[in-house]
Amino acid sequence: MRTYIIKRLLQAIPTLLVISFLIFSLLYITPGDPVLIMLGTSDNQTMTEEEYQAAKHDMGLDRPMLARYGEFLTGALRGDLGKSYITDEDVFDTIVSKMPATLILTLAAILIALMISIPLGILAAIRHNSIWDTLATFLATIGTSLPKFWFGLVLIIFFSQNLHWLPSQGIAYPLEDGWLAFFRHLILPAASLSLGLAATQTRMIRSSMLDVLGQDYVRFARSKGLKERAVIIGHAMKNAMIPVVTVIGSEFGSLLGGAVVTETIFSWPGIGRLAMNSINKRDYPMIQGNTLVMCAIFLTINLLVDIVCAWLNPKIRLDKQ
Amino acid sequence: MAKETRSKEQVKATSYWQDISRQFRKNKLALVGLVLLLTIIILCAGAPLFTSYDPVTDMELMDMLLPPGTQGHILGTDDCGRDVWSRLLYGGRTSMLTGLVVALLASAVGILVGCVSGYFGGLIDNLLMRVTDIMMSFPFLVIAIALMAVLGSSQKNVIIALAIVSWPQFARLTRSQVLFVKEQEYVEAAQVAGFGSCRIIFCHILPNCMGPLVIQTTLSVGGAILSAASLNFLGLGGDATLPDWGVMLNQGRSYMQNYPYLTTIPGIAISLTVLAVNWIGDGIRDAFDPKLRA
């Protein structure tokens, strides 16, 4: 087990290096002069050659790219991602302060998705080829076909504007505003973000449950005279959940991407909205830092998922050694 | 007697593709999807036949924000007095074309990488698969958004950004198919016959890997339409005058309170199109799957 973890950790290093290099070079593959981009195009009209060179030197752009990448990387490892061009705030601190909101939103979305998909997927599997099965598969296809952000807008139109039940904007914190306000603010954005995951998970749980229900040990449990409920919950479900955990890992990336859109719609103060704001203001250090942090979160989650899977299923860790 | 059986067999014999098309036609949802998609394509491709308004230049500020059902504007007008039905039809062209081009570009690049990697193996394979793995470990939309931020806003860049992030899954899939097919005797025969690698890959191996690749391409058209709509909705895509479903949603959002139809109509259009594509994709997948055949 320890060898497996070490191996997976070592594998993550080149990935992180490539990601950080790509993100670092994003600014330099842009058509146009990075100095002018960083200063904002309006500044170049009044700039003399000396001022331009001075600005270039200040930004360190007169040194070779690899040296600058090295600095970016060592900085990033120390939690120093530079300063925002617009607000002059520390990029890393800003991201850290916005992180809890995004984590709350994505975790709530995962919870909602599981609450919908586990019963629906299991129902579809144990009533295979029945009307329930058709209905669950049908709903899952619709869920993957709706644009998440549009679903969010429809939720706002329906629950906020027509029924006035739930707020459509902003966040509330449980300690300051009370738990009720917290949940009332959370429910619409989390529901809209959970849509895609709920749909993929329903399909996943259905097919993995169908697989497991055909196995010998399930037949054995049944022939032992166990009640159907005990067979499903005690025997089948545990093993059917392994692919589900893997899917959560790989879908986490699309949750982070979805969070950018969802947070923009619901004015949710997380890193997704921060990304959009910094893109609109062309705040490059913030864009770079934000993308890097999102990728790092995604990699970490997938690493954890792999380790959990290896722990659940000895075949995986023995195969790869 | 023996003669009779043989002639019966001959009558029954169908080719591989005929089998698949017959399986596909048995699937009702897939057929509904096909009819739905064809209707949408005909409406959008023949847009000038179904509307007399220009989606961009026909602005009538006297007639702005008319509700659906108004005389002359079946789906109403938007905030600039443009006909929503007309923008919907022309917008469908942009959205569907974007989805299709992204899927084709991504599959072309992915298939090429996958073929080279799977056929030659060794160091090239190792290198290409590492790159693919790394690309696949990026959060998809996050990278597309970051790419859009540096490439600049335009519909062309939406296509480039989405194609860059979607080719790796095609590479993976093609490689696994090629690895399987290249062990077959007919490939060995072609090698013995002295054919060049290029000819073997594209004439002998690739045609036998097409099933899963067709499925993957179909399903990724739907995904690409959704992702392009997200980027356009965020205002990262084409300019605001461009008729596109994502752009329409972005504009409709400001009027959500009083004119919700500006938001609901383009959203329904996107959902129906993607739903149709997904049903067709599922139908093709089931048709290719011998286990599901009765």
Side-chain angles (χ1 to χ4, degrees):
Chain A
M1 188 70 194
R2 190 183 294 160
T3 350
Y4 178 73
I5 295 178
I6 292 172
K7 204 176 160 195
R8 281 296 283 112
L9 277 175
L10 287 179
Q11 275 174 353
I13 292 174
T15 313
L16 258 180
L17 279 178
V18 174
I19 290 179
S20 61
F21 185 73
L22 284 181
I23 291 169
F24 167 78
S25 46
L26 274 183
L27 182 58
Y28 304 95
I29 58 169
T30 335
D33 188 336
V35 179
L36 296 185
I37 292 170
M38 286 197 197
L39 290 174
T41 30
S42 59
D43 291 1
N44 76 44
Q45 285 132 10
T46 53
M47 204 194 291
T48 63
E49 182 59 27
E50 288 90 59
E51 278 171 333
Y52 175 84
Q53 289 303 336
K56 195 171 180 177
H57 182 76
D58 278 350
M59 293 169 187
L61 287 173
D62 49 352
R63 280 173 300 129
M65 187 157 163
L66 268 181
R68 275 180 283 130
Y69 171 63
E71 268 170 37
F72 174 76
L73 196 63
T74 44
L77 287 176
R78 286 196 313 266
D80 171 17
L81 291 168
K83 279 192 164 41
S84 158
Y85 287 158
I86 311 289
T87 56
D88 208 38
E89 281 164 11
D90 187 78
V91 171
F92 188 74
D93 291 347
T94 316
I95 294 174
V96 167
S97 72
K98 305 266 182 194
M99 190 77 83
T102 301
L103 288 181
I104 289 173
L105 182 63
T106 37
L107 285 180
I110 292 179
L111 269 181
I112 293 180
L114 289 179
M115 273 170 5
I116 296 172
S117 60
I118 292 182
L120 208 58
I122 292 181
L123 186 69
I126 51 181
R127 301 257 183 280
H128 186 41
N129 284 334
S130 73
I131 180 85
W132 293 110
D133 188 13
T134 320
L135 191 72
T137 323
F138 187 74
L139 283 179
T141 319
I142 291 186
T144 39
S145 308
L146 298 188
K148 273 184 231 171
F149 60 93
W150 179 70
F151 182 61
L153 294 175
V154 172
L155 288 180
I156 292 181
I157 292 178
F158 197 69
F159 288 102
S160 303
Q161 292 178 356
N162 289 350
L163 296 172
H164 301 285
W165 283 357
L166 295 163
S168 64
Q169 303 285 305
I171 188 175
Y173 292 97
L175 296 181
E176 290 123 55
D177 313 286
W179 284 96
L180 184 69
F182 170 72
F183 282 118
R184 280 167 52 85
H185 279 88
L186 181 61
I187 195 155
L188 286 188
S192 117
L193 187 58
S194 73
L195 179 74
L197 183 65
T200 13
Q201 284 289 28
T202 305
R203 283 179 159 213
M204 195 70 223
I205 291 172
R206 174 181 172 273
S207 68
S208 125
M209 202 64 186
L210 277 178
D211 261 6
V212 172
L213 285 178
Q215 303 277 324
D216 286 343
Y217 65 85
V218 171
R219 206 173 306 147
F220 177 71
R222 275 182 183 149
S223 60
K224 236 174 19 176
L226 277 186
K227 289 213 175 74
E228 190 61 19
R229 175 188 287 268
V231 174
I232 303 231
I233 295 175
H235 294 252
M237 222 174 101
K238 216 160 112 193
N239 285 296
M241 286 300 132
I242 294 178
V244 176
V245 178
T246 325
V247 171
I248 291 185
S250 58
E251 283 286 309
F252 201 83
S254 78
L255 281 184
L256 282 176
V260 177
V261 193
T262 312
E263 287 178 4
T264 312
I265 294 174
F266 289 93
S267 307
W268 190 264
I271 50 175
R273 187 150 164 261
L274 180 70
M276 265 328 284
N277 286 341
S278 37
I279 286 174
N280 288 334
K281 290 179 195 147
R282 310 229 148 251
D283 190 350
Y284 283 97
M286 202 61 107
I287 300 176
Q288 284 180 331
N290 219 323
T291 315
L292 189 65
V293 170
M294 283 199 190
C295 290
I297 296 177
F298 181 56
L299 277 182
T300 317
I301 299 277
N302 271 305
L303 196 67
L304 288 177
V305 164
D306 278 0
I307 292 172
V308 169
C309 283
W311 177 65
L312 284 175
N313 185 357
K315 259 193 202 161
I316 299 174
R317 59 174 187 261
L318 294 177
D319 258 9
K320 291 193 176 169
Q321 267 173 22
Chain B
M1 184 71 191
K3 211 175 176 184
E4 213 181 287
T5 340
R6 205 170 61 212
S7 70
K8 258 187 192 167
E9 270 171 11
Q10 276 168 349
V11 173
K12 274 186 182 172
T14 46
S15 78
Y16 177 64
W17 292 101
Q18 278 171 326
D19 263 0
I20 284 170
S21 121
R22 202 184 56 208
Q23 286 298 325
F24 182 82
R25 275 178 280 142
K26 274 192 201 160
N27 188 330
K28 287 196 192 73
L29 268 186
L31 282 185
V32 172
L34 194 64
V35 172
L36 190 60
L37 188 68
L38 281 178
T39 315
I40 297 172
I41 289 177
I42 291 171
L43 281 174
C44 294
L49 297 175
F50 303 102
T51 173
S52 49
Y53 297 99
D54 184 278
V56 182
T57 55
D58 274 348
M59 291 189 217
E60 189 58 70
L61 290 179
M62 295 285 284
D63 291 340
M64 66 180 210
L65 297 167
L66 292 175
T70 312
Q71 186 73 37
H73 297 286
I74 188 167
L75 292 179
T77 54
D78 69 0
D79 52 322
C80 300
R82 294 172 297 201
D83 184 56
V84 172
W85 171 244
S86 150
R87 279 181 75 71
L88 198 66
L89 294 186
Y90 285 95
R93 290 183 174 184
T94 327
S95 292
M96 279 192 282
L97 212 58
T98 308
L100 197 65
V101 175
V102 169
L104 289 179
L105 263 181
S107 59
V109 175
I111 288 173
L112 192 68
V113 172
C115 280
V116 171
S117 185
Y119 185 73
F120 293 105
L123 189 67
I124 303 177
D125 180 32
N126 244 321
L127 203 72
L128 286 176
M129 279 304 113
R130 273 291 88 74
V131 175
T132 311
D133 280 349
I134 289 172
M135 290 292 296
M136 281 180 92
S137 60
F138 291 158
F140 180 88
L141 202 56
V142 173
I143 294 296
I145 289 171
L147 276 173
M148 289 307 297
V150 291
L151 290 174
S153 303
S154 80
Q155 198 63 20
K156 190 183 89 198
N157 289 342
V158 169
I159 294 177
I160 295 176
L162 289 179
I164 290 179
V165 289
S166 13
W167 68 263
Q169 41 187 346
F170 286 97
R172 268 278 185 83
L173 186 65
T174 313
R175 177 176 174 272
S176 66
Q177 291 293 310
V178 171
L179 282 181
F180 172 71
V181 173
K182 86 169 177 185
E183 301 301 327
Q184 310 285 315
E185 277 92 359
Y186 60 84
V187 176
E188 256 171 65
Q191 279 162 343
V192 173
F195 293 155
S197 304
C198 222
R199 178 163 173 183
I200 295 177
I201 291 176
F202 291 106
C203 298
H204 297 265
I205 295 182
L206 197 55
N208 291 296
C209 307
M210 283 321 273
L213 293 175
V214 171
I215 300 164
Q216 179 74 22
T217 312
T218 316
L219 289 175
S220 77
V221 172
I225 292 178
L226 285 180
S227 310
S230 302
L231 292 179
N232 271 316
F233 174 72
L234 289 172
L236 295 170
D239 63 300
T241 57
L242 180 88
D244 173 274
W245 292 339
V247 175
M248 287 173 78
L249 273 172
N250 185 16
Q251 289 163 346
R253 205 183 136 208
S254 329
Y255 298 92
M256 228 163 55
Q257 184 96 43
N258 299 317
Y259 308 98
Y261 64 91
L262 288 179
T263 310
T264 41
I265 291 172
I268 292 173
I270 299 176
S271 309
L272 281 181
T273 312
V274 178
L275 194 61
V277 173
N278 283 345
W279 275 336
I280 296 173
D282 284 350
I284 300 179
R285 186 182 53 205
D286 290 351
F288 270 104
D289 190 347
K291 274 185 283 178
L292 291 175
R293 272 184 211 163

